[in-house]
Amino acid sequence: MAPHGEGSEEAMVVQDENRKPISSILIVIAMQTEAMPVVNKFQLKEDLDPVFPKGVPWVRYHGIYKDLHINLVWPGKDLTLGVDSVGTISASLVTYAAIQALQPDLIINAGTAGGFKVKGACISDVFLVSDVAFHDRRIPIPVFDLYGVGSRQSFSTPNLLKELNLKAGKLSTGDSLDMSPQDEASIVANEATVKDMEGAAVAYVADLLKVPAIFIKAVTDIVDGDKPTAEEFLQNLSAVTAALEQAVAQIVDFISGKCLSEL
């Protein structure tokens, strides 16, 4: 435990940070299809002098909007197979590297997700996530089980939630698009309204490096619905990314000129 003075000093630093106007945001997105509408909306430019290690496929776009420096990163295409580098490993790596290189005041993890109709989710709904957890890290040993689930709260933004009239819900993350019976049991235990393949990994890194993070998820498919997940996801991806872009734009507009404590 830190000495009293040291802990108090650290708390004061955090309070000061929360009262400073937000000047730099980092948007972390998993797929190119999800990223490009946001890139175009804010007229971001691709980084021609990469801040990331040589040889990695990670992509950064950047620009200035109002009083905000915006950086958007996505993990790029797999170097062997040429598909989007989705999932927790790529999300963790690009988030870590981007925080180290860019030192953002706030992270926005934006993306698509599966939704549960039993929790009230519908196609194109956009959720502001309150809590995140993993559903596929099963370690049935005391305390290790809690580590595996990795429950975390997102940065609290009550004014943002109220002003934009967004839906709120919990997010569960795993590295598979489908849902096994074991996954389903964990998702139910996590009380999740939406599931994705990156959120809890971004939350882990943001927490590790003490950067506040919020999570915006737009529903492409109904996990407990009648249609096959992959088919419904691909069918709705283009339309739902438009809803995601609109929500991200509204959120960035709301953030502009505000401190963390005003969100």
Side-chain angles (χ1 to χ4, degrees):
M1 182 179 293
H4 178 72
E6 184 179 329
S8 300
E9 186 176 322
E10 185 175 318
M12 289 175 63
V13 169
V14 171
Q15 286 181 355
D16 289 343
E17 289 294 321
N18 286 347
R19 293 193 185 112
K20 290 194 316 185
I22 298 165
S23 63
S24 174
I25 60 174
L26 171 64
I27 303 174
V28 180
I29 298 185
M31 299 182 70
Q32 186 175 30
T33 304
E34 299 166 339
M36 293 315 297
V38 179
V39 168
N40 294 332
K41 169 67 179 179
F42 294 110
Q43 300 181 323
L44 305 179
K45 304 298 182 185
E46 186 169 354
D47 189 4
L48 300 179
D49 184 21
V51 297
F52 297 134
K54 185 177 180 180
V56 300
W58 310 335
V59 182
R60 170 189 172 235
Y61 294 90
H62 61 97
I64 296 177
Y65 177 76
K66 296 186 177 179
D67 52 357
L68 291 171
H69 292 265
I70 300 177
N71 286 284
L72 182 151
V73 298
W74 69 287
K77 302 285 187 179
D78 180 82
L79 295 174
T80 302
L81 300 173
V83 297
D84 292 280
S85 300
V86 299
T88 59
I89 295 174
S90 291
S92 297
L93 288 169
V94 77
T95 300
Y96 178 83
I99 291 173
Q100 292 291 87
L102 305 170
Q103 298 294 306
D105 298 318
L106 177 70
I107 293 171
I108 302 173
N109 174 221
T112 54
F116 292 88
K117 65 180 181 181
V118 71
K119 289 285 192 175
C122 300
I123 300 297
S124 293
D125 277 352
V126 179
F127 285 88
L128 181 62
V129 171
S130 59
D131 301 78
V132 300
F134 293 98
H135 58 251
D136 61 354
R137 304 202 314 178
R138 292 177 287 276
I139 313 173
I141 302 171
V143 186
F144 279 98
D145 54 354
L146 300 176
Y147 167 78
V149 174
S151 295
R152 286 177 173 81
Q153 290 185 326
S154 63
F155 184 73
S156 179
T157 54
N159 297 324
L160 173 64
L161 183 66
K162 182 179 179 181
E163 178 73 20
L164 300 186
N165 197 28
L166 294 167
K167 290 189 172 185
K170 296 182 179 183
L171 172 68
S172 197
T173 296
D175 271 308
S176 297
L177 184 65
D178 64 1
M179 182 175 67
S180 71
Q182 294 95 330
D183 290 344
E184 183 175 11
S186 295
I187 289 168
V188 170
N190 290 341
E191 301 178 335
T193 301
V194 285
K195 68 179 280 285
D196 80 340
M197 298 174 65
E198 291 85 22
V202 174
Y204 171 79
V205 178
D207 188 36
L208 197 67
L209 299 182
K210 307 304 180 194
V211 182
I214 62 175
F215 303 83
I216 312 300
K217 300 295 171 176
V219 176
T220 49
D221 54 279
I222 301 301
V223 185
D224 52 348
D226 301 325
K227 295 183 179 179
T229 295
E231 177 185 317
E232 192 171 28
F233 168 77
L234 293 171
Q235 177 184 333
N236 294 318
L237 181 59
S238 179
V240 173
T241 54
L244 180 67
E245 175 266 311
Q246 184 179 13
V248 171
Q250 290 174 335
I251 289 165
V252 171
D253 272 324
F254 182 83
I255 288 170
S256 176
K258 292 184 175 65
C259 309
L260 288 170
S261 59
E262 295 174 312
L263 300 185

